[in-house]
């Protein structure tokens, strides 16, 4: 079985190197061979120029294709895998076009695994653990009011005036700021047109408590089913969102104001202009440490009293081996590849696993990637 790893961008390298170093047969595909050679040429014996037709000509049943390429490649590569009885892995969110491949993947006996990076990925594992732990506890009761939060952010280890730094093009971050979100607040759907309309403060239960600015993103509501929430549960709050340093909203105030006015081709051109300037002014310096904070919490209350409240909290930062973001995105991807090869992930289109043994094993590895990982029990 060959692992075909496509893409050697900044967030791909630690997981790719892990698979090669663990003795797997890996072919590295990248649009620029020289960049791949620079990243893993010291240990990779097979590096090729990425071309989907060329990949298709060598793809064999049981192989695994990893897409760390831009998102528009994921579905074509997954379709190729299904046609060749090979498996597919990516760290990205499951798009509707990917979900539509579920029946074909099952019929072909092919696992199409997505959402196995940091966020989405590690956050899912934490959520699955918390829900399973709550279900198994004496506190689990259909009359409880439940609150679930999941906040993740890549932030500079050493704060700058802009309260944010970029590892790659800022354009994606700017476009995300134009996206609406849907979550649950006070037992009802909570729709937000722009992130800055719903910024709140969150105190993370780190060894030294630290407050951050947070806001909801995307559509959180489908994840209640993904996380195995009982449909009969009374959900007071359910939100998946983004975490930023305190002072971020103030530092970005002018950015929000301008983004609100942009539209059409001229707006897209201006976004690109802003992106280029932000990259010049606020990119990470060589060797400068980044930081990732992830907090996933589940709280159950009844009659005004807390019956259950735990937070899975992670804090990680860049070190001499590279960035926190790169290892936390790509190492879980490599674990997904190994789980597929061992047939521990079933055919079909799936996200990060909920199976307790896999969650436990993956989190044990992730514990070694973060400087701090802990389940905090707020009930004592």
């Amino acid at each position: 079985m060959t692992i075909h790893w496509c893409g050697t961008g900044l967030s791909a390298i630690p997981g790719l190197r892990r698979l090669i170093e663990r003795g797997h047969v890996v072919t590295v595909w990248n649009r620029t061979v020289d960049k791949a050679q620079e990243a893993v040429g010291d240990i990779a014996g097979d590096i090729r120029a990425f071309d989907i037709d060329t990949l298709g000509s060598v793809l064999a049943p049981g192989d695994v294709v990893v897409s760390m390429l831009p998102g528009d490649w994921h579905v074509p590569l997954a379709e190729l895998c299904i046609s060749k009885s090979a498996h597919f892995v990516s760290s990205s969110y499951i798009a509707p076009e990917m979900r539509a491949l579920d029946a074909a993947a099952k019929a072909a006996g092919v696992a199409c695994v997505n959402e196995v990076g940091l966020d989405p990925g590690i956050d899912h594992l934490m959520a699955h653990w918390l829900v399973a732990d709550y279900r198994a506890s004496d506190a689990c009761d259909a009359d409880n009011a439940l609150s679930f939060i999941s906040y993740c952010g890549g932030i500079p280890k050493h704060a700058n005036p802009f309260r944010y730094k970029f590892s790659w093009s800022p354009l994606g971050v700017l476009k995300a700021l134009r996206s609406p979100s849907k979550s649950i607040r006070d037992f009802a759907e909570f729709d937000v047109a722009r992130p800055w309309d719903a910024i709140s403060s969150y105190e993370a239960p780190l060894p030294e408590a630290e407050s951050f600015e947070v806001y909801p993103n995307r559509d959180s509501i489908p994840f209640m089913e993904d996380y195995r929430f009982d449909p009969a549960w009374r959900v007071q709050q359910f939100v998946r969102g983004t975490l930023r340093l305190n002072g971020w909203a103030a530092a970005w105030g002018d950015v929000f104001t301008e983004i609100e006015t942009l539209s059409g081709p001229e707006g897209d051109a201006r976004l690109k202009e802003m992106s280029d300037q932000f990259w010049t002014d606020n990119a990470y310096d060589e060797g400068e440490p980044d930081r990732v904070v992830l907090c996933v919490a589940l709280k159950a209350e009844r009659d005004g009293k807390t019956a259950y409240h735990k937070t899975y909290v992670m804090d990680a930062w860049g070190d001499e081996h590279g960035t926190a973001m790169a290892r936390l995105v790509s190492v879980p991807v490599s674990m997904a590849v190994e789980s597929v090869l061992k047939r521990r992930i079933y055919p079909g289109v799936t996200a990060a696993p909920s199976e307790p043994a896999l969650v436990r094993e993956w989190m044990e590895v992730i514990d070694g990637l973060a400087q701090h990982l802990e389940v905090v029990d707020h009930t004592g």
Side-chain angles (χ1 to χ4, degrees):
M1 308 293 184
T2 300
I3 299 164
H4 299 272
W5 187 290
C6 304
T8 58
L10 291 173
S11 63
I13 305 309
L16 171 56
R17 295 185 70 90
R18 178 177 179 270
L19 289 172
I20 297 170
E21 288 166 352
R22 286 166 67 86
H24 295 283
V25 178
V26 180
T27 298
V28 180
W29 301 80
N30 198 53
R31 286 175 290 185
T32 308
V33 170
D34 288 348
K35 287 185 178 178
Q37 193 73 39
E38 185 180 333
V40 292
D42 57 321
I43 58 172
D46 189 356
I47 298 176
R48 308 184 191 187
F50 174 74
D51 176 80
I52 193 167
D53 295 328
T54 306
L55 171 59
S57 70
V58 299
L59 193 58
D63 285 357
V64 182
V65 172
V66 178
S67 179
M68 300 298 279
L69 297 169
D72 54 2
W73 278 109
H74 298 339
V75 170
L77 285 170
E79 290 173 333
L80 174 64
C81 287
I82 292 169
S83 73
K84 297 285 187 176
S85 297
H87 305 288
F88 174 83
V89 176
S90 93
S91 62
S92 298
Y93 278 103
I94 298 174
E97 297 81 3
M98 179 68 72
R99 197 173 297 281
L101 300 177
D102 183 58
K106 287 176 178 173
V110 166
C112 288
V113 188
N114 304 266
E115 302 187 10
V116 286
L118 164 62
D119 171 15
I122 298 174
D123 56 341
H124 291 348
L125 301 176
M126 291 176 170
H128 289 312
W129 187 93
L130 287 166
V131 171
D133 185 66
Y134 171 65
R135 282 183 175 274
S137 73
D138 294 336
C140 189
D141 190 299
D143 290 329
N144 290 341
L146 296 180
S147 296
F148 173 91
I149 62 102
S150 177
Y151 291 123
C152 184
I155 53 180
K157 179 79 168 77
H158 306 301
N160 61 331
F162 200 50
R163 313 305 285 172
Y164 193 79
K165 285 210 165 186
F166 300 94
S167 302
W168 44 76
S169 171
L171 195 57
V173 173
L174 292 174
K175 287 182 176 179
L177 289 174
R178 305 170 79 179
S179 302
S181 68
K182 188 185 293 288
S183 55
I184 290 180
R185 178 185 286 187
D186 296 328
F187 299 101
E189 287 192 11
F190 180 59
D191 295 308
V192 177
R194 297 286 187 264
W196 55 85
D197 293 332
I199 296 171
S200 59
S201 182
Y202 171 71
E203 186 165 293
L206 295 164
E208 292 185 18
E210 190 172 346
S211 64
F212 298 92
E213 293 176 3
V214 294
Y215 60 87
N217 61 29
R218 295 178 172 264
D219 184 354
S220 297
I221 294 174
F223 290 92
M224 287 193 290
E225 181 179 353
D226 292 352
Y227 294 163
R228 313 295 196 268
F229 270 50
D230 191 311
W233 285 352
R234 300 174 59 242
V235 181
Q236 180 175 351
Q237 180 188 28
F238 190 97
V239 59
R240 300 177 73 254
T242 298
L243 177 150
R244 295 286 182 249
L245 287 174
N246 275 341
W248 173 79
W252 282 58
D254 291 342
V255 179
F256 302 153
T257 301
E258 182 168 4
I259 284 178
E260 193 68 71
T261 68
L262 301 179
S263 63
E266 288 183 0
D268 290 341
R270 174 56 184 152
L271 271 186
K272 177 66 167 61
E273 204 175 89
M274 293 168 71
S275 172
D276 292 344
Q277 188 62 52
F278 290 159
W279 181 249
T280 299
D281 296 343
N282 296 289
Y284 278 100
D285 294 327
E286 184 73 31
E288 181 183 0
D290 66 330
R291 183 186 180 196
V292 171
V293 175
L294 170 59
C295 298
V296 182
L298 181 62
K299 183 179 183 180
E301 297 174 284
R302 189 175 184 186
D303 300 327
K305 296 180 180 178
T306 300
Y308 178 98
H309 188 194
K310 292 184 181 181
T311 303
Y312 220 136
V313 59
M314 180 178 75
D315 193 1
W317 49 88
D319 56 23
E320 66 274 13
H321 302 297
T323 69
M325 185 67 72
R327 64 179 185 263
L328 291 168
V329 170
S330 65
V331 172
V333 169
S334 73
M335 290 189 283
V337 171
E338 291 180 325
S339 296
V340 167
L341 289 173
K342 294 173 184 174
R343 300 182 181 274
R344 298 185 67 188
I345 295 180
Y346 296 114
V349 176
T350 60
S354 60
E355 200 270 317
L358 272 183
V359 171
R360 183 178 62 253
E361 291 170 24
W362 287 29
M363 290 308 298
E364 285 174 357
V365 175
I366 290 160
D367 190 17
L369 305 176
Q371 279 82 355
H372 178 74
L373 185 71
E374 182 185 11
V375 178
V376 178
D377 187 347
H378 302 277
T379 60

